[in-house]
Short mmCIF file of all heavy atoms in Angstrom, two decimals:
data_model
loop_
_atom_site.label_atom_id
_atom_site.label_comp_id
_atom_site.label_asym_id
_atom_site.label_seq_id
_atom_site.Cartn_x
_atom_site.Cartn_y
_atom_site.Cartn_z
N VAL A 1 -9.93 -12.47 9.73
CA VAL A 1 -9.78 -11.33 8.83
C VAL A 1 -9.05 -11.74 7.55
O VAL A 1 -9.42 -11.30 6.44
CB VAL A 1 -9.04 -10.19 9.55
CG1 VAL A 1 -8.72 -9.05 8.58
CG2 VAL A 1 -9.87 -9.66 10.70
N MET A 2 -8.03 -12.59 7.66
CA MET A 2 -7.32 -13.04 6.46
C MET A 2 -8.23 -13.84 5.55
O MET A 2 -8.15 -13.72 4.31
CB MET A 2 -6.10 -13.86 6.87
CG MET A 2 -4.98 -13.06 7.48
SD MET A 2 -3.50 -14.05 7.80
CE MET A 2 -3.04 -14.50 6.14
N THR A 3 -9.09 -14.67 6.14
CA THR A 3 -10.04 -15.43 5.31
C THR A 3 -11.00 -14.50 4.57
O THR A 3 -11.26 -14.67 3.37
CB THR A 3 -10.82 -16.42 6.18
OG1 THR A 3 -9.90 -17.26 6.88
CG2 THR A 3 -11.73 -17.27 5.33
N MET A 4 -11.52 -13.51 5.29
CA MET A 4 -12.43 -12.55 4.65
C MET A 4 -11.71 -11.74 3.57
O MET A 4 -12.27 -11.53 2.48
CB MET A 4 -13.01 -11.63 5.71
CG MET A 4 -13.88 -12.32 6.75
SD MET A 4 -14.39 -11.22 8.08
CE MET A 4 -15.27 -9.96 7.16
N MET A 5 -10.49 -11.30 3.85
CA MET A 5 -9.75 -10.52 2.86
C MET A 5 -9.37 -11.37 1.64
O MET A 5 -9.34 -10.87 0.51
CB MET A 5 -8.49 -9.93 3.49
CG MET A 5 -8.74 -8.85 4.52
SD MET A 5 -9.56 -7.37 3.85
CE MET A 5 -11.22 -7.61 4.51
N LEU A 6 -9.09 -12.66 1.87
CA LEU A 6 -8.77 -13.54 0.75
C LEU A 6 -9.96 -13.70 -0.17
O LEU A 6 -9.83 -13.64 -1.41
CB LEU A 6 -8.31 -14.90 1.27
CG LEU A 6 -7.96 -15.95 0.21
CD1 LEU A 6 -6.84 -15.46 -0.69
CD2 LEU A 6 -7.60 -17.27 0.88
N ILE A 7 -11.15 -13.90 0.40
CA ILE A 7 -12.35 -14.03 -0.43
C ILE A 7 -12.61 -12.73 -1.18
O ILE A 7 -12.95 -12.74 -2.38
CB ILE A 7 -13.55 -14.40 0.47
CG1 ILE A 7 -13.33 -15.77 1.11
CG2 ILE A 7 -14.85 -14.38 -0.34
CD1 ILE A 7 -14.39 -16.16 2.11
N ARG A 8 -12.44 -11.61 -0.50
CA ARG A 8 -12.67 -10.31 -1.16
C ARG A 8 -11.66 -10.07 -2.27
O ARG A 8 -12.01 -9.59 -3.36
CB ARG A 8 -12.59 -9.21 -0.12
CG ARG A 8 -12.78 -7.81 -0.66
CD ARG A 8 -12.64 -6.79 0.45
NE ARG A 8 -12.74 -5.43 -0.05
CZ ARG A 8 -12.60 -4.35 0.70
NH1 ARG A 8 -12.36 -4.47 1.99
NH2 ARG A 8 -12.70 -3.15 0.16
N THR A 9 -10.39 -10.40 -2.03
CA THR A 9 -9.36 -10.18 -3.04
C THR A 9 -9.54 -11.10 -4.24
O THR A 9 -9.30 -10.70 -5.38
CB THR A 9 -7.97 -10.37 -2.42
OG1 THR A 9 -7.85 -9.59 -1.23
CG2 THR A 9 -6.88 -9.94 -3.39
N LEU A 10 -9.96 -12.34 -3.98
CA LEU A 10 -10.24 -13.25 -5.09
C LEU A 10 -11.38 -12.72 -5.96
O LEU A 10 -11.34 -12.84 -7.19
CB LEU A 10 -10.58 -14.64 -4.55
CG LEU A 10 -9.42 -15.45 -3.96
CD1 LEU A 10 -9.92 -16.73 -3.35
CD2 LEU A 10 -8.37 -15.74 -5.03
N GLY A 11 -12.38 -12.13 -5.32
CA GLY A 11 -13.46 -11.53 -6.10
C GLY A 11 -12.99 -10.37 -6.94
O GLY A 11 -13.40 -10.20 -8.09
N GLN A 12 -12.09 -9.53 -6.38
CA GLN A 12 -11.55 -8.42 -7.15
C GLN A 12 -10.67 -8.91 -8.29
O GLN A 12 -10.65 -8.31 -9.37
CB GLN A 12 -10.76 -7.50 -6.23
CG GLN A 12 -11.61 -6.78 -5.19
CD GLN A 12 -10.78 -5.97 -4.23
OE1 GLN A 12 -9.54 -6.06 -4.21
NE2 GLN A 12 -11.44 -5.17 -3.41
N ALA A 13 -9.94 -10.00 -8.06
CA ALA A 13 -9.10 -10.55 -9.12
C ALA A 13 -9.94 -11.13 -10.25
O ALA A 13 -9.61 -10.98 -11.43
CB ALA A 13 -8.17 -11.62 -8.55
N SER A 14 -11.04 -11.79 -9.90
CA SER A 14 -11.91 -12.34 -10.94
C SER A 14 -12.60 -11.24 -11.74
O SER A 14 -12.93 -11.43 -12.90
CB SER A 14 -12.97 -13.25 -10.31
OG SER A 14 -13.81 -12.51 -9.43
N ALA A 15 -12.80 -10.06 -11.11
CA ALA A 15 -13.41 -8.93 -11.81
C ALA A 15 -12.40 -8.12 -12.61
O ALA A 15 -12.78 -7.17 -13.30
CB ALA A 15 -14.13 -8.02 -10.82
N GLY A 16 -11.11 -8.46 -12.50
CA GLY A 16 -10.09 -7.77 -13.27
C GLY A 16 -9.52 -6.54 -12.61
O GLY A 16 -8.85 -5.75 -13.27
N HIS A 17 -9.73 -6.37 -11.30
CA HIS A 17 -9.20 -5.20 -10.60
C HIS A 17 -7.87 -5.48 -9.93
O HIS A 17 -7.17 -4.53 -9.53
CB HIS A 17 -10.20 -4.71 -9.56
CG HIS A 17 -11.53 -4.33 -10.13
ND1 HIS A 17 -11.68 -3.34 -11.07
CD2 HIS A 17 -12.77 -4.82 -9.91
CE1 HIS A 17 -12.96 -3.24 -11.40
NE2 HIS A 17 -13.64 -4.12 -10.71
N VAL A 18 -7.51 -6.73 -9.75
CA VAL A 18 -6.27 -7.11 -9.07
C VAL A 18 -5.58 -8.17 -9.90
O VAL A 18 -6.23 -9.07 -10.46
CB VAL A 18 -6.56 -7.64 -7.65
CG1 VAL A 18 -5.28 -8.14 -6.97
CG2 VAL A 18 -7.20 -6.56 -6.79
N ASN A 19 -4.27 -8.06 -9.99
CA ASN A 19 -3.48 -9.06 -10.71
C ASN A 19 -3.56 -10.39 -9.96
O ASN A 19 -3.29 -10.45 -8.76
CB ASN A 19 -2.03 -8.60 -10.79
CG ASN A 19 -1.23 -9.45 -11.76
OD1 ASN A 19 -1.66 -10.52 -12.17
ND2 ASN A 19 -0.05 -8.98 -12.11
N PRO A 20 -3.96 -11.48 -10.61
CA PRO A 20 -4.05 -12.77 -9.91
C PRO A 20 -2.74 -13.21 -9.28
O PRO A 20 -2.76 -13.91 -8.26
CB PRO A 20 -4.50 -13.73 -11.02
CG PRO A 20 -5.20 -12.87 -12.01
CD PRO A 20 -4.47 -11.55 -11.99
N SER A 21 -1.61 -12.83 -9.84
CA SER A 21 -0.33 -13.21 -9.26
C SER A 21 0.04 -12.37 -8.04
O SER A 21 1.01 -12.68 -7.36
CB SER A 21 0.78 -13.08 -10.30
OG SER A 21 0.91 -11.73 -10.74
N GLU A 22 -0.72 -11.31 -7.75
CA GLU A 22 -0.44 -10.44 -6.61
C GLU A 22 -1.53 -10.50 -5.54
O GLU A 22 -1.67 -9.59 -4.72
CB GLU A 22 -0.28 -8.99 -7.08
CG GLU A 22 0.87 -8.79 -8.04
CD GLU A 22 0.94 -7.38 -8.59
OE1 GLU A 22 -0.07 -6.64 -8.45
OE2 GLU A 22 1.98 -7.01 -9.18
N ILE A 23 -2.29 -11.59 -5.53
CA ILE A 23 -3.39 -11.72 -4.57
C ILE A 23 -2.87 -11.74 -3.15
O ILE A 23 -3.39 -11.03 -2.26
CB ILE A 23 -4.22 -12.98 -4.89
CG1 ILE A 23 -5.01 -12.79 -6.18
CG2 ILE A 23 -5.17 -13.29 -3.74
CD1 ILE A 23 -5.83 -13.99 -6.57
N MET A 24 -1.85 -12.54 -2.88
CA MET A 24 -1.33 -12.64 -1.52
C MET A 24 -0.69 -11.32 -1.07
O MET A 24 -0.79 -10.94 0.11
CB MET A 24 -0.30 -13.77 -1.44
CG MET A 24 -0.86 -15.15 -1.77
SD MET A 24 -2.26 -15.60 -0.71
CE MET A 24 -1.46 -15.66 0.88
N LEU A 25 -0.08 -10.61 -2.01
CA LEU A 25 0.54 -9.33 -1.66
C LEU A 25 -0.52 -8.30 -1.30
O LEU A 25 -0.40 -7.58 -0.30
CB LEU A 25 1.40 -8.84 -2.82
CG LEU A 25 2.31 -7.63 -2.56
CD1 LEU A 25 3.28 -7.93 -1.44
CD2 LEU A 25 3.05 -7.24 -3.82
N VAL A 26 -1.57 -8.22 -2.10
CA VAL A 26 -2.66 -7.28 -1.80
C VAL A 26 -3.34 -7.65 -0.49
O VAL A 26 -3.66 -6.78 0.33
CB VAL A 26 -3.67 -7.26 -2.97
CG1 VAL A 26 -4.89 -6.42 -2.61
CG2 VAL A 26 -3.02 -6.72 -4.23
N MET A 27 -3.57 -8.93 -0.27
CA MET A 27 -4.20 -9.36 0.97
C MET A 27 -3.33 -9.04 2.18
O MET A 27 -3.83 -8.61 3.23
CB MET A 27 -4.49 -10.86 0.92
CG MET A 27 -5.25 -11.39 2.13
SD MET A 27 -5.34 -13.19 2.15
CE MET A 27 -3.61 -13.59 2.45
N GLY A 28 -2.01 -9.22 2.05
CA GLY A 28 -1.11 -8.90 3.15
C GLY A 28 -1.12 -7.43 3.50
O GLY A 28 -1.18 -7.06 4.69
N PHE A 29 -1.09 -6.56 2.50
CA PHE A 29 -1.15 -5.13 2.76
C PHE A 29 -2.49 -4.73 3.39
O PHE A 29 -2.54 -3.88 4.28
CB PHE A 29 -0.94 -4.34 1.46
CG PHE A 29 0.50 -4.28 1.02
CD1 PHE A 29 0.85 -4.58 -0.28
CD2 PHE A 29 1.50 -3.92 1.91
CE1 PHE A 29 2.17 -4.53 -0.69
CE2 PHE A 29 2.82 -3.86 1.51
CZ PHE A 29 3.16 -4.16 0.22
N THR A 30 -3.57 -5.35 2.94
CA THR A 30 -4.89 -5.02 3.49
C THR A 30 -5.00 -5.43 4.94
O THR A 30 -5.51 -4.67 5.78
CB THR A 30 -5.98 -5.70 2.66
OG1 THR A 30 -5.82 -5.35 1.27
CG2 THR A 30 -7.35 -5.27 3.12
N VAL A 31 -4.54 -6.63 5.27
CA VAL A 31 -4.58 -7.09 6.66
C VAL A 31 -3.69 -6.23 7.53
O VAL A 31 -4.03 -5.90 8.68
CB VAL A 31 -4.19 -8.57 6.74
CG1 VAL A 31 -4.08 -9.03 8.19
CG2 VAL A 31 -5.20 -9.44 6.01
N LEU A 32 -2.53 -5.84 7.02
CA LEU A 32 -1.64 -4.97 7.78
C LEU A 32 -2.28 -3.62 8.06
O LEU A 32 -2.10 -3.04 9.14
CB LEU A 32 -0.32 -4.78 7.02
CG LEU A 32 0.78 -3.98 7.72
CD1 LEU A 32 1.20 -4.67 9.02
CD2 LEU A 32 1.99 -3.81 6.81
N GLY A 33 -3.05 -3.11 7.12
CA GLY A 33 -3.74 -1.84 7.35
C GLY A 33 -4.83 -1.95 8.40
O GLY A 33 -5.10 -0.97 9.12
N HIS A 34 -5.46 -3.12 8.52
CA HIS A 34 -6.51 -3.32 9.52
C HIS A 34 -5.96 -3.84 10.85
O HIS A 34 -6.76 -4.12 11.77
CB HIS A 34 -7.56 -4.31 9.01
CG HIS A 34 -8.41 -3.76 7.90
ND1 HIS A 34 -8.01 -3.76 6.59
CD2 HIS A 34 -9.64 -3.18 7.92
CE1 HIS A 34 -8.96 -3.21 5.84
NE2 HIS A 34 -9.95 -2.85 6.62
N LEU A 35 -4.66 -3.96 10.97
CA LEU A 35 -4.07 -4.51 12.19
C LEU A 35 -4.33 -3.65 13.43
O LEU A 35 -4.50 -4.21 14.52
CB LEU A 35 -2.57 -4.71 12.00
CG LEU A 35 -1.88 -5.71 12.94
CD1 LEU A 35 -2.58 -7.05 12.89
CD2 LEU A 35 -0.42 -5.86 12.58
N PRO A 36 -4.38 -2.31 13.36
CA PRO A 36 -4.72 -1.54 14.57
C PRO A 36 -6.08 -1.91 15.15
O PRO A 36 -6.23 -2.06 16.37
CB PRO A 36 -4.68 -0.08 14.10
CG PRO A 36 -3.77 -0.08 12.93
CD PRO A 36 -3.97 -1.40 12.27
N THR A 37 -7.07 -2.09 14.30
CA THR A 37 -8.39 -2.49 14.78
C THR A 37 -8.36 -3.89 15.37
O THR A 37 -9.00 -4.16 16.40
CB THR A 37 -9.40 -2.42 13.63
OG1 THR A 37 -9.36 -1.12 13.04
CG2 THR A 37 -10.81 -2.70 14.12
N ILE A 38 -7.61 -4.80 14.73
CA ILE A 38 -7.53 -6.17 15.24
C ILE A 38 -6.84 -6.20 16.59
O ILE A 38 -7.28 -6.91 17.52
CB ILE A 38 -6.78 -7.05 14.22
CG1 ILE A 38 -7.54 -7.08 12.89
CG2 ILE A 38 -6.61 -8.46 14.75
CD1 ILE A 38 -6.80 -7.82 11.77
N LEU A 39 -5.76 -5.44 16.75
CA LEU A 39 -5.05 -5.41 18.03
C LEU A 39 -5.91 -4.81 19.12
O LEU A 39 -5.90 -5.29 20.27
CB LEU A 39 -3.74 -4.62 17.88
CG LEU A 39 -2.64 -5.27 17.06
CD1 LEU A 39 -1.47 -4.31 16.89
CD2 LEU A 39 -2.17 -6.56 17.71
N THR A 40 -6.65 -3.76 18.82
CA THR A 40 -7.52 -3.15 19.83
C THR A 40 -8.59 -4.12 20.30
O THR A 40 -8.84 -4.26 21.50
CB THR A 40 -8.16 -1.87 19.26
OG1 THR A 40 -7.14 -0.97 18.82
CG2 THR A 40 -9.01 -1.19 20.30
N LEU A 41 -9.24 -4.77 19.36
CA LEU A 41 -10.28 -5.74 19.74
C LEU A 41 -9.68 -6.92 20.49
O LEU A 41 -10.30 -7.42 21.46
CB LEU A 41 -11.01 -6.21 18.48
CG LEU A 41 -12.17 -7.19 18.70
CD1 LEU A 41 -13.21 -6.59 19.62
CD2 LEU A 41 -12.78 -7.59 17.36
N SER A 42 -8.50 -7.39 20.10
CA SER A 42 -7.86 -8.50 20.80
C SER A 42 -7.53 -8.11 22.24
O SER A 42 -7.73 -8.91 23.17
CB SER A 42 -6.59 -8.92 20.06
OG SER A 42 -6.88 -9.34 18.75
N LEU A 43 -7.02 -6.90 22.43
CA LEU A 43 -6.71 -6.44 23.78
C LEU A 43 -7.97 -6.32 24.63
O LEU A 43 -7.99 -6.72 25.80
CB LEU A 43 -5.98 -5.10 23.70
CG LEU A 43 -5.46 -4.50 25.01
CD1 LEU A 43 -4.44 -5.41 25.66
CD2 LEU A 43 -4.87 -3.12 24.75
N PHE A 44 -9.02 -5.78 24.05
CA PHE A 44 -10.28 -5.62 24.77
C PHE A 44 -10.85 -6.98 25.18
O PHE A 44 -11.26 -7.19 26.33
CB PHE A 44 -11.26 -4.85 23.88
CG PHE A 44 -12.42 -4.25 24.62
CD1 PHE A 44 -12.47 -4.23 26.00
CD2 PHE A 44 -13.47 -3.69 23.92
CE1 PHE A 44 -13.54 -3.67 26.67
CE2 PHE A 44 -14.54 -3.11 24.58
CZ PHE A 44 -14.57 -3.12 25.97
#
């Protein structure tokens, strides 16, 4: 998920929607928001 979110965030940064210096911060918040789904699938 982090790899997918990193690629997606880099694309948004290249398009001018995300500050390039805040890529890791945006990616961290995004992964944290998807953590319930990740935990459920991991448990299953």
Side-chain angles (χ1 to χ4, degrees):
V1 173
M2 289 185 65
T3 304
M4 296 174 59
M5 291 297 105
L6 179 60
I7 296 174
R8 179 181 177 183
T9 309
L10 287 175
Q12 294 175 350
S14 63
H17 301 300
V18 176
N19 191 347
S21 62
E22 298 175 345
I23 290 179
M24 298 304 296
L25 190 59
V26 173
M27 185 189 68
F29 283 131
T30 306
V31 174
L32 184 61
H34 290 83
L35 201 55
T37 306
I38 299 174
L39 289 175
T40 303
L41 182 58
S42 300
L43 184 62
F44 198 9

